[in-house]
Amino acid sequence: MNAIKLDTISLCRYEPRYADLKNSFKNESKSRFINSITERLESSMYNDNFTFQSAYVVLDKDIPVGYAYLSSVHNDEVFLEVSVLKEYRGRKLGKRITNEICDYLFTNHNIKCVKLDIDPSNKVSLISAESCGFVCDEEEYEARNFCGKVVFTKESDCYINKRRK
């Protein structure tokens, strides 16, 4: 299985045909994190555990528009990272990608919570996370304070409903 088909997008394993993405991501940011995206994509090519601890090329109508990284599951929680290529920003793609991945995780895996780490200076990402239903997790931020990034969480309605019964 080399792809996860979601509602309107697909998550695909990195392949040599996506080599041009290396330069696209590298030229976008001075951030060490962003520049490590291609390394994550390439190393995920050989990951036997397809869903988690893997980076994916995000395809919209077979066009690479960004990347998504799903970290390992801990206590039914997963961290999600999403980046949209500069030329595709401003089209609400980040929001659509985030929502579709969350829906997929909540529906197909026993995930109760998806978390995002967002740099507080990235106002667009903060607004996008909140519009996707994520809320700031002050306790998690205090506990982790991962490079000064704000932690946002979104819980599965299904999970919450199961726990209320």
Side-chain angles (χ1 to χ4, degrees):
M1 179 192 290
N2 287 327
I4 298 173
K5 183 75 176 133
L6 304 178
D7 289 338
T8 64
I9 60 167
S10 296
L11 304 179
C12 294
R13 285 284 192 199
Y14 180 84
E15 299 173 6
R17 67 182 168 139
Y18 299 126
D20 289 347
L21 290 179
K22 286 182 187 181
N23 293 330
S24 297
F25 282 119
K26 223 170 205 159
N27 294 333
E28 281 196 19
S29 174
K30 295 176 181 159
S31 163
R32 187 177 45 131
F33 171 76
I34 295 294
N35 289 331
S36 71
I37 290 172
T38 54
E39 292 167 25
R40 289 179 176 194
L41 286 167
E42 287 178 337
S43 66
S44 292
M45 264 195 308
Y46 308 107
N47 184 351
D48 291 335
N49 182 357
F50 186 69
T51 304
F52 300 106
Q53 209 60 28
S54 292
Y56 303 91
V57 174
V58 177
L59 300 177
D60 184 25
K61 299 177 185 141
D62 294 326
I63 298 169
V65 295
Y67 106 104
Y69 181 76
L70 299 169
S71 70
S72 60
V73 178
H74 176 69
N75 294 333
D76 300 329
E77 300 172 344
V78 66
F79 273 86
L80 171 64
E81 300 165 15
V82 172
S83 180
V84 176
L85 291 166
K86 189 180 270 182
E87 62 265 31
Y88 296 102
R89 291 183 187 155
R91 302 178 191 184
K92 305 219 184 278
L93 266 172
K95 182 177 178 178
R96 184 163 38 114
I97 292 165
T98 301
N99 281 329
E100 288 189 28
I101 291 173
C102 287
D103 290 345
Y104 169 78
L105 292 171
F106 292 149
T107 303
N108 297 292
H109 299 277
N110 194 21
I111 301 299
K112 71 172 184 176
C113 182
V114 175
K115 296 189 176 199
L116 308 172
D117 284 329
I118 303 174
D119 186 315
S121 67
N122 188 342
K123 303 296 183 205
V124 172
S125 291
L126 295 172
I127 291 167
S128 180
E130 289 176 345
S131 73
C132 290
F134 284 82
V135 294
C136 185
D137 188 336
E138 304 269 339
E139 290 177 20
E140 182 78 12
Y141 176 73
E142 291 296 322
R144 291 178 70 244
N145 193 6
F146 181 70
C147 299
K149 294 183 179 178
V150 179
V151 178
F152 280 79
T153 62
K154 181 175 185 176
E155 293 189 347
S156 163
D157 293 335
C158 177
Y159 176 83
I160 293 168
N161 289 336
K162 284 180 189 175
R163 295 296 188 252
R164 286 184 186 154
K165 291 180 181 178

